[in-house]
């Protein structure tokens, strides 16, 4: 059987020293004179990460290369170490975390004719937490944030029915075992992260690109007028299994200081099973129109980029709360443009790029209220 094998190994070492100073002139019961460090150092940590990876895959060819089957295996191992140098009276406090995962996968393609390819695959997904999240201390206890794991499925077709048009259509599903999300994105907890248990994403992606000039006047190798669309529909992006909201404090005990994200008389324990995940829009669309002239060295493109409504908390709150840290984030569209000009005598490209040309104002997140 004709085949091609790919294999490799990687080792990566990172280390960092993070020192964060308090404001020099303000703070709760704190004054830090210029140049002073005693009592003014908010954080002093030393962190190291060692990551190891091995992979092997083999692409097998059948039926005169019309069918390919590609099984593979990757192994990831990550070790985290942290020393909080300020803890225990300056003697330091050590914490560590470790994760190792085997990641199998298989992909299949079938090309009955040159212009069309059907494809599918099942792959294990893996995303380790950053070291700051893996060893984070929450209320005196190490959070031990685990890596994200998922099973990812796709089935689709790509084709080029004419010389001036191509397309790709894909159905996908991602089943996460412990997706990492913001714990509440609400008052008092800032950007604290948590493993969200089981979640599911399901939808489709579609992309197409047309050369309008070739469509109207025949093939032109010097000039192109390109119209393209990229669209993603995330029909489902939900909490699965038994899952309660992370917004579970007592608003009456918070003293009205916004440390508790719950509203008055709002239940502390609420099931969010079946709710939509935070910051998971249903629709994403990018559409553009471009012109290219190779003899003149010019390229220009105008595009619109759109995103639909998103929830900012796991209870799927719609109306904004008084502190602004919960509530739906309304969708928006943005107009962008770019122009490139290549000057052949000096072998230089000049470019101009514009984003949000209509100067629209919109909310992108509520984590800071």
């Amino acid at each position: 059987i004709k085949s091609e094998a790919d294999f490799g190994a990687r080792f990566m070492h990172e280390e960092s020293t993070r020192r964060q100073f308090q404001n020099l002139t303000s703070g709760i019961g704190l004054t830090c004179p210029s140049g002073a460090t005693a009592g003014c150092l908010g954080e002093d940590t030393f962190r190291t990460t060692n990551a190891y990876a091995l992979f092997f895959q083999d692409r097998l060819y059948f039926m005169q290369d019309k069918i390919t089957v590609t099984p593979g295996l990757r192994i990831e191992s990550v070790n985290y170490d942290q020393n909080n140098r300020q803890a225990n009276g300056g003697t330091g406090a050590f914490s560590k975390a470790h994760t190792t995962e085997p990641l199998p996968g298989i992909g299949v393609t079938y090309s009955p004719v040159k212009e069309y390819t059907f494809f599918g695959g099942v792959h294990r997904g893996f995303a380790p937490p950053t070291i700051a999240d893996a060893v984070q201390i929450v209320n005196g206890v190490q959070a031990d944030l685990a890596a994200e794991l998922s099973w990812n499925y796709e089935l689709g077709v790509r084709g080029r029915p004419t010389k001036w048009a191509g397309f790709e259509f894909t159905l996908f599903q991602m089943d996460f075992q412990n997706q990492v999300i913001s714990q509440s994105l609400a008052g008092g907890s800032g950007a604290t992260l948590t493993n969200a248990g089981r979640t599911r994403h399901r939808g489709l992606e579609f992309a197409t690109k047309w050369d309008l000039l070739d469509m109207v006047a025949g093939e032109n190798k010097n000039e192109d007028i390109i119209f393209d669309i990229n669209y993603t529909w995330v029909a489902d992006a939900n909490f699965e299994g038994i899952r309660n909201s992370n917004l579970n404090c007592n608003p009456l005990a918070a003293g009205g200081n916004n440390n508790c994200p719950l509203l008055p008389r709002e239940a502390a324990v609420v099931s969010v099973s079946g709710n939509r995940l935070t910051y998971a829009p249903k629709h994403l669309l990018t559409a553009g129109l471009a012109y290219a002239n190779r003899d003149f060295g010019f390229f220009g493109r105008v595009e619109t980029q759109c995103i639909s409504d998103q929830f900012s908390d796991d209870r799927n709150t719609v109306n904004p709360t008084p502190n602004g840290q919960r509530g739906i984030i309304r969708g928006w569209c943005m107009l962008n443009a770019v122009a490139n000009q290549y000057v052949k005598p000096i072998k230089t490209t000049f470019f101009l790029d514009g984003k949000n040309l209509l100067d629209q104002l919109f909310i992108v997140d509520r984590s800071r209220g």
Side-chain angles (χ1 to χ4, degrees):
I1 298 176
K2 179 183 175 181
S3 67
E4 297 176 357
D6 295 299
F7 54 90
R10 183 188 68 185
F11 168 71
M12 184 173 64
H13 172 80
E14 292 181 348
E15 62 181 49
S16 67
T17 298
R18 176 179 167 86
R19 306 184 77 202
Q20 183 181 37
F21 289 88
Q22 306 282 358
N23 190 295
L24 293 177
T25 58
S26 66
I28 300 176
L30 176 68
T31 300
C32 295
S34 178
T37 59
C40 298
L41 191 60
E43 179 185 350
D44 187 4
T45 56
F46 178 72
R47 296 165 175 162
T48 61
T49 302
N50 292 307
Y52 310 84
L54 299 170
F55 85 93
F56 178 87
Q57 71 175 25
D58 198 13
R59 184 177 294 105
L60 307 171
Y61 295 88
F62 303 92
M63 292 180 59
Q64 291 79 45
D65 299 349
K66 290 184 177 181
I67 297 178
T68 66
V69 180
T70 309
L73 176 67
R74 185 180 185 94
I75 298 176
E76 293 272 1
S77 182
V78 186
N79 297 314
Y80 306 96
D81 291 277
Q82 173 179 282
N83 179 17
N84 181 358
R85 292 166 169 167
Q86 286 188 302
N88 300 324
T91 60
F94 293 88
S95 55
K96 59 178 56 183
H98 170 77
T99 181
T100 297
E101 291 293 338
L103 310 169
I106 186 169
V108 179
T109 67
Y110 172 51
S111 300
V113 293
K114 183 179 179 181
E115 292 79 12
Y116 293 92
T117 299
F118 298 87
F119 58 90
V122 180
H123 294 86
R124 185 66 158 161
F126 169 80
T130 66
I131 184 170
D133 299 327
V135 297
Q136 64 178 325
I137 306 298
V138 180
N139 297 326
V141 179
Q142 183 172 325
D144 285 334
L145 197 65
E148 286 187 341
L149 292 173
S150 65
W151 283 108
N152 307 317
Y153 311 89
E154 67 173 0
L155 183 65
V157 58
R158 65 177 67 94
R160 193 172 182 85
T162 71
K163 291 184 178 181
W164 49 264
F167 74 93
E168 182 169 329
F169 180 87
T170 310
L171 299 171
F172 67 86
Q173 179 169 309
M174 300 181 293
D175 291 324
F176 285 87
Q177 289 180 229
N178 51 346
Q179 186 176 11
V180 175
I181 66 169
S182 295
Q183 186 163 354
S184 67
L185 292 173
S189 59
T192 302
L193 301 177
T194 184
N195 285 112
R198 291 171 50 205
T199 66
R200 169 170 291 173
H201 303 67
R202 182 190 291 133
L204 63 85
E205 294 180 321
F206 174 75
T208 185
K209 181 184 292 187
W210 297 5
D211 189 327
L212 301 181
L213 190 61
D214 285 1
M215 179 180 67
V216 174
E219 187 175 3
N220 186 330
K221 295 184 178 180
N222 180 51
E223 289 183 285
D224 295 319
I225 298 178
I226 301 294
F227 171 69
D228 64 84
I229 292 177
N230 288 272
Y231 171 68
T232 300
W233 177 41
V234 188
D236 299 315
N238 303 329
F239 292 96
E240 297 287 321
I242 300 174
R243 183 70 180 179
N244 289 331
S245 172
N246 283 299
L247 308 179
N248 54 8
C249 62
N250 183 353
L252 298 179
N257 60 2
N258 283 340
N259 284 334
C260 179
L262 297 186
L263 298 171
R265 295 179 297 279
E266 186 175 13
V269 179
V270 172
S271 172
V272 295
S273 298
N275 281 13
R276 194 163 184 93
L277 293 170
T278 59
Y279 296 92
K282 275 194 174 184
H283 306 281
L284 300 99
L285 172 70
T286 300
L289 186 65
Y291 172 73
N293 188 311
R294 294 175 181 82
D295 285 345
F296 192 61
F298 175 80
F299 173 83
R301 172 182 164 86
V302 178
E303 71 169 21
T304 182
Q305 184 180 10
C306 299
I307 190 170
S308 64
D309 295 352
Q310 308 166 65
F311 290 110
S312 62
D313 67 301
D314 58 11
R315 299 190 183 204
N316 291 177
T317 305
V318 174
N319 295 325
T321 55
N323 62 11
Q325 292 170 329
R326 293 170 60 188
I328 202 167
I329 296 176
R330 294 300 178 185
W332 47 264
C333 286
M334 180 191 298
L335 184 67
N336 308 317
V338 63
N340 295 347
Q341 179 62 60
Y342 178 69
V343 182
K344 190 174 182 179
I346 58 176
K347 298 180 179 180
T348 301
T349 298
F350 297 88
F351 63 90
L352 180 65
D353 194 0
K355 298 292 182 70
N356 192 18
L357 295 179
L358 300 181
D359 196 22
Q360 294 171 274
L361 183 67
F362 46 84
I363 297 174
V364 293
D365 78 79
R366 290 186 175 275
S367 59
R368 296 159 190 83

